[in-house]
Amino acid sequence: MSRVSDRHRSAAIQVLVFLAGFTFLVHEVSWNRLLALVLGSTVVASTLVLSAFMAGFGAGAWFWGRWTNDRRRVGRVLGLLLVGIGVTSLSSDLLIARVVPGLSGVVANLVALTLIFGPAFLMGGVFPIAGKIALAAGADATRTLGRLYAVETLGSALGGLAAGYLLLGLLGQQDTMLAAAVANLLLAGWLLVTRAHDDIAPVTVEPAAREGGPTRAEKRRAGTAATVDPAAVRKTALLGAFICGFAMLALQVIWLRAFRIYLINTSYTFALVSSLVVLGLFAGSAICGRRGGGAGDTQRTMLQVLGLLAVTVGAGVIVLVKLPQLVMFPLQSAFADPVVRITLLPLVASLLVVVPPAVCSGFAFPLACGMATVGRAGVSRDVGQVLMFNTAGAALGPLLGAFLLLPRLGVVGAVLVVLALIVAVVGFVQVRWRPASGAAWRRHALAPVAPGLIVLAVAGPQINILPPSFGNHDRELLFYLESVEGTLVVGRDRDSRAQALHTYVNNAAVIGSTYDAIKVVKMVGHFPFFLGLEARDVLVIGFGIGVTTSAIAAHPEVESIDCVELVPGLRDAAVFYRDVNREVAADPRLRIIGGDGRHHLQTTDKTYDLISCDPTHPILGSGSLYTRDYFEHCRERLNPGGMVSQYLPLHKLGSDEFLGLLRTFQSVFPECTVWLGHYHAVLLGALDPIDVNFLDWETQVAAQAYDPHFLLDANHLAATLVLDGAAIGELGATSRINTDDRSYTEFFTPSCLDETNLARNLRFLQDNRVDVGAVFTGVADAPKLTQYVRGNELLTESLLHQFAGDSRMSLDALRRACAAAPEDQEFPFLIKLYF
């Protein structure tokens, strides 16, 4: 066959592998998101999905590599595999979305993981077959497979970025998965119609030879290589592939957990980090494709690469611990822009911590393929076996990282254990499979290193990874806990008179310590009862530090409170907030359930009188709790006459997104109201019309015991009403509904990060206030309530002046609020607090 036709074949197979890799990552990212909606947005669920995908991929690589080893019509097989991938992917998507939500517990997990395993099993066959086609011309195995793997990983990285940044937000979940499946079918159609690569003879790979002859150093290494058992070289290749797969996927789970402490938690941030891992693999494989494994001792080259992997992992953990001091604080001004902070900071952090080990792993894989195939007539079989070992490690790594290393040893300890395993592999190969040469101590030099690292991880001093704000302020660390789902930190200011408390799960503040933050979460808990709800069974999604739950527990008619919390350890942190949560953690009616609240709604048979939710911001990780689908789950689990209460932020939401969320809630709960708590809002939705006699409202408010953190004044609280369902329906008639399929809170536009959004949304609520008569009837002293409403309007004007930087006008508006509603005790309190 001519060199021209060889080049055409090589180019064609590289294009096909690139496009296939692109679609595979689109599938994987889409499945991960879909299963987060179905099984819960937890580290447990995402780890199981990743491990199932890698296990299917590895099993497929082994099976299809062996099955096509002696077959000539491999192009046809490759085409049929792509057909199967397209069909099974669409089938899996449909079954996961329609069938799995109706299942519960272990059965749901097993069915979902099986549905992922199937198409992944077919995907695993693509690279071994493509490798056989690429090597049909007798080219150097390591270089050729290095280039092919580079092309595949580049396609995968771009596919992951395209899915996370563009396709899921633009097309939606269903159409993105459909587009990827159609692309697979088109690639299959091209192979089957053109019958490309349908006559590929079994390939025997010969040892590589450098043009112009080997260098002097290579001749010296070749002398050593000549004494190495070929079986030992092959075993080294398989063990190297395994440890690289294990290390990279275990570290990816650990790195992402650590980055959640430092970085803003958005879908874009972690799509970027994950894609940079794959880009690192691309860079390493591209280097291997240009350099090859050397003409001599490839076993030695593999040990050098693994040694470099260990060095980069060790250096990376040092950088990881010191990331705020090395990057975040020195470049603080550069990261002031929120868009830059979401993109540039994870890019810099990944380049320092994530990419170097990924480059080493990317070099090692094609090197292992070359080592395993040299001198053997079985390219697809041998490449498939190497890929199987690599993905077996990749399937095991996340499981051990998430379920054993992180919860028991923390981030730093987990990295040290992974590092110890890499060092142990290098030492084992050096002692058992390398020819004896030189002083014996050199061969055994690494023997104490791995045990030493294990001892350091298990018994060494605890190294805490804290949110950046702890480095910016002088804070005493009161509580620190690393669990599967997140790192929980409680700190107290040392340098302030109030010694304010701060609690974080990863980098998200669980509750603000300001007056307005505590007020609004108490409104979320109290207002359904003030509106006349008789709730016996309550579901709270997100315990936080228990302020909302304590407000609910303050109502004696409540008999049971189920609270679903991703990080159950928050219950232990609640003791530091006894003054605001009234020691609710000790309430016998409270049952804390670890897990995802949305998943609980999908799987429980229990119904509730009240479902209350105070999540983190929708664009910062809880977007699935602000979709129509979620609100429909809530409605389905309500008893007759039940209600839903939910926190709604005004910041980090553009005008369209803010009004869209109001309209989304109203589309499920036409009987709804919106209440304003300073800079925040509360959504209340009911199955029955919200029509309250003001005397009953006053009675409910008066029945509550004195609370120094919450003004129990019936008129003051009634004056916070801003919208009802009819007003929302009119104002948002053309607004886009937020859905699971197309979520603009998860895939948000940069305009959401505009700092003026809060003032803009606050002005919108101020300008469109409804009359309190929309909710309240039988107001005995209407003029008094009117005064309170006017005072609340002036408070809002004061806040708007404050955002504009005009303290004088802000104070003036508060003074006018005092004059307008002299009985409202909040206004003089705020003057003392702020001025």
Side-chain angles (χ1 to χ4, degrees), residues 3 33 53 99 144 173 198 236 274 309 390 509 542 551 568 583 659 740 768 771 795 829:
R3 288 189 176 182
R33 181 176 182 270
F53 180 85
V99 176
T144 301
Q173 179 84 29
D198 254 7
T236 301
S274 299
L309 173 62
N390 183 256
E583 300 189 65
L659 183 54
D740 285 350
N768 292 283
D771 188 89
L795 166 62
F829 166 78

Side-chain angles (χ1 to χ4, degrees), residues 108-124:
N109 284 293
L110 288 176
V111 171
L113 298 181
T114 301
L115 291 171
I116 295 298
F117 186 94
F121 178 81
L122 300 178
M123 292 176 185

Side-chain angles (χ1 to χ4, degrees), residues 258-276:
F259 283 160
R260 289 182 187 277
I261 302 171
Y262 292 141
L263 307 179
I264 297 176
N265 183 22
T266 72
S267 57
Y268 297 129
T269 300
F270 298 105
L272 177 60
V273 173
S274 299
S275 295
L276 284 170

Side-chain angles (χ1 to χ4, degrees), residues 151-442:
V151 168
E152 192 271 341
T153 50
L154 179 61
S156 297
L158 295 179
L161 287 171
Y165 275 80
L166 181 64
L167 298 178
L168 286 169
L170 184 64
L171 301 180
Q173 179 84 29
Q174 294 179 4
D175 287 347
T176 295
M177 295 188 293
L178 177 62
V182 169
N184 295 141
L185 295 174
L186 290 174
L187 289 174
W190 171 75
L191 281 170
L192 296 174
V193 170
T194 63
R195 298 185 179 181
H197 316 301
D198 254 7
D199 187 22
I200 305 297
V203 179
T204 299
V205 178
E206 300 298 335
R210 178 187 292 274
E211 292 184 10
T215 65
R216 183 176 301 175
E218 288 173 337
K219 287 180 181 179
R220 185 169 58 252
R221 289 196 298 269
T224 302
T227 65
V228 177
D229 181 4
V233 174
R234 178 174 174 78
K235 287 187 285 188
T236 301
L238 297 177
L239 185 56
F242 175 86
I243 194 62
C244 284
F246 174 89
M248 286 311 303
L249 269 293
L251 288 170
Q252 185 170 337
V253 170
I254 298 166
W255 286 328
L256 287 175
R257 258 293 311 281
F259 283 160
R260 289 182 187 277
I261 302 171
Y262 292 141
L263 307 179
I264 297 176
N265 183 22
T266 72
S267 57
Y268 297 129
T269 300
F270 298 105
L272 177 60
V273 173
S274 299
S275 295
L276 284 170
V277 172
V278 186
L279 281 173
L281 297 176
F282 155 73
S285 54
I287 294 169
C288 188
R290 292 180 62 86
R291 179 188 180 280
D297 192 352
T298 53
Q299 188 187 51
R300 174 175 172 165
T301 303
M302 175 62 78
L303 292 178
Q304 290 173 337
V305 172
L306 293 179
L308 186 58
L309 173 62
V311 170
T312 57
V313 170
V317 73
I318 296 172
V319 173
L320 187 65
V321 172
K322 297 294 184 180
L323 193 65
Q325 292 82 1
L326 293 174
V327 177
M328 302 178 74
F329 298 155
L331 300 178
Q332 195 165 14
S333 59
F335 296 139
D337 182 90
V339 177
V340 174
R341 193 160 62 249
I342 285 177
T343 54
L344 184 59
L345 181 55
L347 177 63
V348 173
S350 298
L351 289 175
L352 293 173
V353 177
V354 173
V355 172
V359 172
C360 297
S361 182
F363 189 101
F365 177 76
L367 175 62
C369 290
M371 293 167 65
T373 57
V374 169
R376 294 165 60 89
V379 169
S380 61
R381 178 197 60 208
D382 294 333
V383 171
Q385 191 173 27
V386 172
L387 186 53
M388 181 196 70
F389 271 79
N390 183 256
T391 51
L396 183 62
L399 294 175
L400 289 182
F403 301 133
L404 179 63
L405 300 181
L406 273 174
R408 291 185 178 274
L409 302 176
V411 168
V412 176
V415 174
L416 290 177
V417 170
V418 174
L419 178 58
L421 293 175
I422 300 171
V423 172
V425 166
V426 175
F428 176 82
V429 173
Q430 185 71 33
V431 172
R432 296 295 300 273
W433 295 339
R434 287 290 289 172
S437 63
W441 69 267
R442 291 185 178 179

Side-chain angles (χ1 to χ4, degrees), residues 444-609:
H444 296 82
L446 293 177
V449 176
L453 290 169
I454 296 291
V455 170
L456 183 61
V458 174
Q462 183 179 22
I463 300 176
N464 299 329
I465 297 183
L466 302 173
S469 59
F470 275 70
N472 271 334
H473 303 88
D474 184 16
R475 287 179 181 167
E476 175 189 3
L477 182 64
L478 302 177
F479 186 85
Y480 184 88
L481 175 68
E482 292 194 54
S483 66
V484 174
E485 295 298 337
T487 298
L488 172 59
V489 180
V490 181
R492 179 169 55 205
D493 288 338
R494 287 194 181 100
D495 56 355
S496 67
R497 185 183 305 172
Q499 291 193 320
L501 290 171
H502 303 270
T503 299
Y504 291 84
V505 172
N506 297 326
N507 195 23
V510 175
I511 184 172
S513 58
T514 58
Y515 168 77
D516 61 285
I518 294 174
K519 175 182 178 177
V520 73
V521 295
K522 285 182 176 284
M523 290 170 66
V524 172
H526 278 304
F527 271 33
F529 297 92
F530 293 166
L531 289 169
L533 178 66
E534 296 181 3
R536 290 175 173 79
D537 297 313
V538 178
L539 173 65
V540 178
I541 295 178
F543 180 72
I545 51 89
V547 178
T548 299
T549 306
S550 70
I552 292 168
H555 297 270
E557 64 267 35
V558 175
E559 297 176 357
S560 71
I561 305 174
D562 288 347
C563 182
V564 186
E565 173 57 57
L566 270 176
V567 185
L570 279 165
R571 183 172 192 161
D572 299 323
V575 299
F576 297 102
Y577 291 85
R578 294 188 186 93
D579 59 328
V580 292
N581 66 28
R582 299 184 176 185
E583 300 189 65
V584 71
D587 194 309
R589 296 170 296 174
L590 176 64
R591 179 172 69 115
I592 293 186
I593 305 167
D596 179 83
R598 177 186 165 119
H599 182 57
H600 177 79
L601 280 173
Q602 292 172 301
T603 56
T604 186
D605 292 328
K606 187 174 181 180
T607 55
Y608 299 91
D609 301 305

